[in-house]
């Protein structure tokens, strides 16, 4: 990225604010929409938008933290990796620390594999977290667990459903754009 450092920090700050706003809006209204659909499918009843929003606001912490917890865990692991790498640059303990990291490299590889699985699970299972909370009325840990288990148990089915949803969205968008 070419430009002054304030521009880079400005873009990062804007990205953070827009992402936080989108997550908040998605948590409130996406949770309400998922609750309306869940009650309609499970009980064949309809609930009002006010009831759905009340449920969504009551479960707001779960809706917000479900996608953020795995990302925070990955961020914590990345911070530990960055600190370990930074410690190799210290002249006094750098060479000893480099040997320690070399010996513990297998552990580092397992942690990196865990980070990759957590990121893949969060990105792939994000669309399943909110329906889990809306249907079960559970917490974010249950939503993470169920979405990850479904993603890793039936990845091709999830890919198929995602492809169908993208195709349907593209057709709908094209139809609306033309008319």
């Amino acid at each position: 990225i070419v430009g002054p450092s304030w521009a880079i920090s400005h873009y990062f700050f804007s990205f953070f604010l827009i992402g936080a706003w989108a997550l908040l809006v998605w948590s409130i209204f996406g949770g309400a929409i998922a609750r309306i659909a869940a009650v309609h499918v499970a009980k064949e009843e309809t609930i009002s938008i006010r009831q759905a929003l009340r449920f969504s606001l009551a479960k707001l912490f779960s809706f917000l933290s479900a996608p953020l917890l795995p990302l925070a865990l990955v961020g914590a692991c990345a911070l530990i990796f960055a600190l370990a790498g930074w410690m190799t640059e210290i002249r006094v303990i750098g060479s000893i620390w480099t040997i320690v990291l070399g010996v513990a490299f297998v552990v580092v590889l397992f942690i990196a594999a865990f980070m990759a699985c957590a990121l893949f699970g969060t990105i792939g299972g994000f669309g399943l977290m909110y329906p889990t909370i809306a249907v079960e009325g559970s917490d974010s840990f249950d939503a993470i667990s169920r979405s990850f288990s479904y993603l890793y148990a039936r990845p091709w089915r999830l890919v198929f459903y995602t492809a169908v949803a993208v195709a349907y969205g593209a057709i709908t968008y094209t139809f609306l754009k033309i008319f």
Side-chain angles (χ1 to χ4, degrees):
I1 298 174
V2 178
S5 62
W6 63 267
I8 295 169
S9 63
H10 169 73
Y11 291 129
F12 178 76
F13 184 69
S14 297
F15 173 77
F16 178 76
L17 282 180
I18 292 169
W21 178 253
L23 183 65
L24 180 67
V25 169
W26 185 253
S27 296
I28 294 171
F29 296 108
I33 291 168
R35 182 63 178 183
I36 290 171
V39 170
H40 180 70
V41 168
K43 295 182 178 181
E44 295 183 6
E45 298 175 2
T46 58
I47 61 172
S48 68
I49 295 174
R50 180 173 288 169
Q51 290 173 322
L53 284 172
R54 195 174 307 128
F55 174 84
S56 182
L57 289 172
K59 293 288 185 180
L60 183 62
F61 181 74
S62 294
F63 284 123
L64 285 172
S65 62
L68 291 180
L69 283 175
L71 295 178
L73 190 60
V74 168
C77 291
L79 183 64
I80 291 170
F81 284 173
L83 289 175
W86 176 74
M87 287 179 64
T88 61
E89 297 296 321
I90 299 174
R91 292 192 187 272
V92 178
I93 62 169
S95 59
I96 297 170
W97 186 248
T98 303
I99 294 170
V100 169
L101 285 180
V103 171
F105 188 67
V106 173
V107 175
V108 172
L109 284 177
F110 279 121
I111 293 172
F114 167 76
M115 290 170 60
C117 289
L119 282 175
F120 181 70
T122 303
I123 293 168
F126 177 74
L128 300 172
M129 291 179 185
Y130 288 175
T132 300
I133 296 170
V135 170
E136 300 288 331
S138 59
D139 60 350
S140 58
F141 295 109
D142 187 41
I144 293 167
S145 172
R146 288 178 188 251
S147 66
F148 278 33
S149 67
Y150 186 80
L151 173 69
Y152 290 120
R154 302 174 189 265
W156 295 114
R157 182 177 287 186
L158 187 64
V159 167
F160 173 73
Y161 289 151
T162 303
V164 168
V166 167
Y168 179 72
I171 292 169
T172 304
Y173 177 76
T174 304
F175 179 78
L176 290 174
K177 185 79 171 168
I178 290 171
F179 295 105

